Amino acid sequence: MIKRELPKDVHYILKKLHHHGHEAFIVGGCVRDLMLGKVPKDWDLTTSAEPSQVKALFSRTVDTGLEHGTVTILKNKVGYEITTYRVDGKYENHRRPKAVAFTKCLKEDLKRRDFTINAMAYNEESGFIDLYGGEEDLKLGIIRCVGDPDERFHEDALRMLRAIRFAARFGFEIESETGRAITLLSKLIEKISAERIKMELSKILCSKNPDYISKLVYYGLMPYVIPEFMPCVNLSQNHSYHVYNVDEHTYRALKEVKRTEVLRWSIFLHDIGKGYSKSTDDEGVDHFYGHSKISVELSKIILSRLKFDNKTKNHILKLIAYHDYRFEPNAKSLRKAVAHMGVDMFKDYLAVQEADVRAQAPDKLQARLEDLDVKKQHFEILLASNHCITIQDLNIRGKDLMDLGVERGEKIGILLKTLLEMVIEEPEMNKKKLLLEKAKMLIHKG
């Protein structure tokens, strides 16, 4: 049952509608979260009152979606969406109803919803309304469609991904008939926009159970969502550093990295090129030469198709390119690596490296983690020391080079980069006098 009191503003809205002869309930995800003892991020309400009646009762409202019966009530600078009980008309393109009809029956409204755990309602007068077994499914840890799953997924094919997303969020299983329907109708996901697919995939990957992305393979969605991943499925890696197939390694690595979109997508795609680069030597050892480059090429196609913004896409692509980058665990090598990647990128590189290592052969783990720890220590020392690792850190500027007779343009950048490489080799050289002397020598050499 409900484990928390309703916020004052929600209580006020429900009471006011009730006082004027209308039914009103909180509904959907907020009821589910309250039953789980969680604080809802959003409060969705439903009512027997039509939008015009809601607007007449509250002084500050926004017409959020009148054609679907939704009005937003503003209270204390917070918006509360309230939607009139409705019956959906025929769905178009397996996504949205062409039209809706208002109804006075709560049951009719609840039965159009996706999953039982999202089809519960509550108010203080009527108490808890659960017509489709949502409470029991919460206890059992099950994602189950309301009514016929074939109908629910034909209506809105995105619900197939949402089922996996909710399963990942709560660590639930998908009920057998619901799972059967996903498998049967998986091709319908092609009807859904790339933006919506990307949103659901990101929520799965950034959940507490990112390895649930494997359920896209299990239920047959992956070939229509990210077909480039399929050659990695069950692809063995007969190598001393690996004991898991490529896809299993990926699922395990996802659980070892922080819950950010950039890091989780970087890990998910970092080895996707292995499905296209496997070779086996005369001793039976598997190799994946050039897989990082192939992973970058494939990921660029995938991330563009899913409409990622350029900043996020480029960050992910760089991390994939660097994920197999190796250097000796000493201060000089680390300075070169940080100068090459940049400080922020290097931090993410370390996170990706650690997740990758933790999902490899257990007997190699300790030595590789020790190697990473040395790199982390050198990195912390580097940050604390304020050593020069970028052109901006140099104690010489382009104007100084122009004063030496160098023309404005590309040559200045080349000289500064050369001076930076010298300083990274020998940090004590980052003194203006020494740098000017080196610059003169370089200019004289032409």
Side-chain angles (χ1 to χ4, degrees):
M1 297 300 290
I2 301 298
K3 300 178 183 179
R4 293 177 183 269
E5 292 185 1
L6 301 183
K8 289 181 180 179
D9 289 342
V10 173
H11 174 81
Y12 168 79
I13 293 169
L14 296 178
K15 281 288 187 182
K16 189 165 186 176
L17 284 160
H18 180 72
H19 178 73
H20 286 82
H22 305 293
E23 292 181 7
F25 295 82
I26 61 168
V27 69
C30 58
V31 180
R32 178 199 67 225
D33 291 346
L34 285 172
M35 293 190 68
L36 292 170
K38 301 177 183 295
V39 178
K41 293 182 180 179
D42 301 298
W43 295 89
D44 291 325
L45 297 88
T46 189
T47 180
S48 60
E50 295 195 6
S52 60
Q53 295 173 310
V54 173
K55 292 174 66 175
L57 287 177
F58 297 94
S59 59
R60 299 186 65 206
T61 64
V62 177
D63 295 349
T64 311
L66 292 183
E67 69 277 13
H68 292 106
T70 302
V71 174
T72 296
I73 299 170
L74 300 176
K75 286 287 294 180
N76 296 317
K77 298 182 180 180
V78 177
Y80 299 93
E81 282 196 356
I82 185 162
T83 302
T84 304
Y85 299 163
R86 73 188 201 200
V87 177
D88 291 339
K90 185 177 180 180
Y91 276 69
E92 290 186 319
N93 300 318
H94 303 284
R95 181 69 186 100
R96 294 188 183 283
K98 185 176 182 180
V100 301
F102 300 145
T103 176
K104 296 294 183 181
C105 179
L106 175 64
K107 180 179 180 180
E108 289 297 314
D109 183 85
L110 294 179
K111 79 176 186 180
R112 71 178 175 81
R113 296 175 182 265
D114 52 7
F115 309 114
T116 60
I117 64 170
N118 296 332
M120 299 177 284
Y122 172 81
N123 68 23
E124 289 160 327
E125 286 76 27
S126 302
F128 179 57
I129 308 297
D130 179 20
L131 304 177
Y132 302 101
E135 181 179 20
E136 183 67 14
D137 285 345
L138 276 181
K139 291 176 181 177
L140 294 173
I142 286 176
I143 303 298
R144 183 198 309 269
C145 280
V146 174
D148 184 347
D150 289 16
E151 288 185 19
R152 296 292 82 76
F153 295 140
H154 267 291
E155 290 168 348
D156 183 357
L158 187 64
R159 287 169 173 166
M160 296 186 287
L161 281 180
R162 282 170 56 84
I164 296 172
R165 189 243 292 180
F166 282 117
R169 178 177 175 182
F170 299 115
F172 285 6
E173 292 300 318
I174 295 175
E175 179 266 336
S176 59
E177 280 301 298
T178 300
R180 176 203 58 76
I182 294 173
T183 303
L184 179 67
L185 303 173
S186 56
K187 187 174 172 56
L188 290 180
I189 202 66
E190 292 182 318
K191 303 290 185 180
I192 303 302
S193 71
E195 292 88 347
R196 297 302 306 220
I197 289 173
K198 180 257 186 183
M199 187 182 301
E200 294 298 328
L201 294 181
S202 287
K203 287 179 178 179
I204 295 168
L205 288 172
C206 292
S207 71
K208 292 187 295 185
N209 300 285
D211 54 316
Y212 274 47
I213 200 74
S214 64
K215 292 187 182 295
L216 272 74
V217 176
Y218 182 80
Y219 289 113
L221 289 165
M222 192 68 82
Y224 305 109
V225 175
I226 305 181
E228 296 89 346
F229 186 77
M230 292 307 295
C232 297
V233 175
N234 297 323
L235 183 64
S236 62
Q237 301 185 90
N238 183 28
H239 194 283
S240 61
Y241 281 105
H242 290 281
V243 295
Y244 307 113
N245 291 340
V246 174
D247 59 330
E248 181 64 23
H249 160 75
T250 298
Y251 306 144
R252 288 173 176 268
L254 281 168
K255 295 191 289 185
E256 300 291 349
V257 76
K258 289 190 300 184
R259 294 166 63 176
T260 72
E261 186 176 54
V262 163
L263 291 176
R264 290 281 174 89
W265 273 97
S266 297
I267 287 293
F268 177 54
L269 298 173
H270 79 288
D271 275 350
I272 198 168
K274 285 189 172 181
Y276 304 80
S277 59
K278 180 176 178 177
S279 63
T280 305
D281 63 26
D282 292 340
E283 296 179 357
V285 177
D286 293 333
H287 302 279
F288 300 89
Y289 298 119
H291 83 272
S292 293
K293 183 177 180 181
I294 298 171
S295 293
V296 171
E297 292 170 354
L298 290 171
S299 298
K300 186 175 183 180
I301 295 169
I302 293 164
L303 298 174
S304 296
R305 186 172 69 233
L306 293 176
K307 310 296 184 184
F308 273 76
D309 65 271
N310 286 334
K311 182 179 178 181
T312 303
K313 178 176 71 175
N314 291 335
H315 197 109
I316 292 170
L317 293 175
K318 287 179 181 178
L319 279 175
I320 294 170
Y322 290 139
H323 87 270
D324 227 13
Y325 182 79
R326 308 291 177 190
F327 61 91
E328 291 299 315
N330 58 58
K332 182 183 289 188
S333 296
L334 182 127
R335 287 197 302 271
K336 290 181 179 180
V338 176
H340 179 62
M341 296 184 198
V343 171
D344 291 338
M345 181 66 67
F346 190 80
K347 290 177 182 177
D348 286 346
Y349 158 80
L350 288 176
V352 168
Q353 277 268 298
E354 182 169 345
D356 197 13
V357 165
R358 288 187 179 277
Q360 294 175 0
D363 63 326
K364 306 288 186 182
L365 180 60
Q366 190 60 36
R368 288 201 148 186
L369 287 180
E370 289 173 358
D371 180 89
L372 267 174
D373 283 341
V374 172
K375 291 175 181 177
K376 289 178 183 178
Q377 290 167 19
H378 283 304
F379 183 52
E380 290 172 4
I381 293 170
L382 178 66
L383 294 179
S385 67
N386 294 318
H387 276 185
C388 175
I389 51 177
T390 69
I391 286 175
Q392 288 71 31
D393 297 330
L394 283 170
N395 283 322
I396 190 172
R397 295 290 178 265
K399 185 179 182 303
D400 298 316
L401 298 178
M402 285 190 285
D403 290 342
L404 294 177
V406 182
E407 293 183 6
R408 185 191 301 272
E410 183 180 353
K411 191 170 183 180
I412 288 178
I414 294 171
L415 280 169
L416 289 173
K417 185 176 180 181
T418 303
L419 292 171
L420 175 62
E421 290 170 355
M422 292 179 179
V423 170
I424 288 170
E425 287 284 342
E426 301 178 53
E428 62 277 6
M429 275 191 58
N430 194 26
K431 297 179 176 62
K432 189 168 185 177
K433 182 179 178 181
L434 293 175
L435 291 171
L436 286 170
E437 290 175 0
K438 286 290 184 181
K440 291 176 183 176
M441 292 173 57
L442 291 169
I443 293 167
H444 180 69
K445 288 180 180 180

